[in-house]
Amino acid sequence: VQLQASGGGLVQAGASLRVSCLASGRRSMMNFLAWFRQASGKEREYVGSIYLGGERPYYADFVKGRFTISRDNAKDTVYLQMNDLKPEDTAVYFCAGRQNRLALSGRANQRAYEWWGQGTQVTVSS
């Protein structure tokens, strides 16, 4: 499975941006996808995830209703819609996938994911 993240850019604080993660290759092997982000000089952190079989997405606490993960199975694409962006949201955003669904307690574990996209830069200016 190959993952390609795209859609990042430079926006002002308060703006919205949607990044995408396109899956290719043996897409049918992947049933679970997460978004992570990594700010400069900081560790990569979990943003949220979705089971492609149909349950609702789950999010890290800091999202606080501003981000929404959605999927379009026909396009093999998962989206991360980000609203009311803040300068502290500035980071490289990565998508990561795995074959099987993860329990809530394990979703932030980066080593649990089998496939990673290359990341897309999101920069929020104040």
Side-chain angles (χ1 to χ4, degrees):
V1 177
Q2 291 81 45
L3 300 176
Q4 182 175 359
S6 62
L10 172 63
V11 298
Q12 290 188 331
S16 297
L17 192 66
R18 187 179 77 169
V19 294
S20 303
C21 180
L22 172 65
S24 61
R26 299 184 69 181
R27 152 66 186 92
S28 60
M29 291 182 62
M30 188 181 73
N31 296 294
F32 194 84
L33 188 133
W35 285 97
F36 289 80
R37 69 183 188 181
Q38 186 167 22
S40 180
K42 296 187 177 181
E43 293 187 354
R44 192 175 301 183
E45 64 178 350
Y46 172 81
V47 175
S49 57
I50 187 168
Y51 174 57
L52 302 181
E55 73 177 18
R56 72 172 181 85
Y58 287 87
Y59 303 96
D61 289 343
F62 69 80
V63 168
K64 295 181 180 178
R66 298 186 298 125
F67 294 1
T68 301
I69 296 174
S70 62
R71 58 189 171 88
D72 185 336
N73 287 347
K75 296 183 178 179
D76 292 332
T77 300
V78 175
Y79 303 99
L80 176 66
Q81 174 70 42
M82 301 180 286
N83 299 327
D84 189 24
L85 282 162
K86 306 176 186 303
E88 52 263 41
D89 295 316
T90 295
V92 178
Y93 284 73
F94 298 89
C95 52
R98 57 176 279 124
Q99 182 172 8
N100 297 317
R101 181 181 175 277
L102 275 171
L104 277 174
S105 61
R107 295 181 183 190
N109 180 5
Q110 299 176 43
R111 286 178 287 184
Y113 294 86
E114 300 166 78
W115 307 290
W116 287 82
Q118 82 288 0
T120 185
Q121 176 71 48
V122 173
T123 303
V124 185
S125 63
S126 56

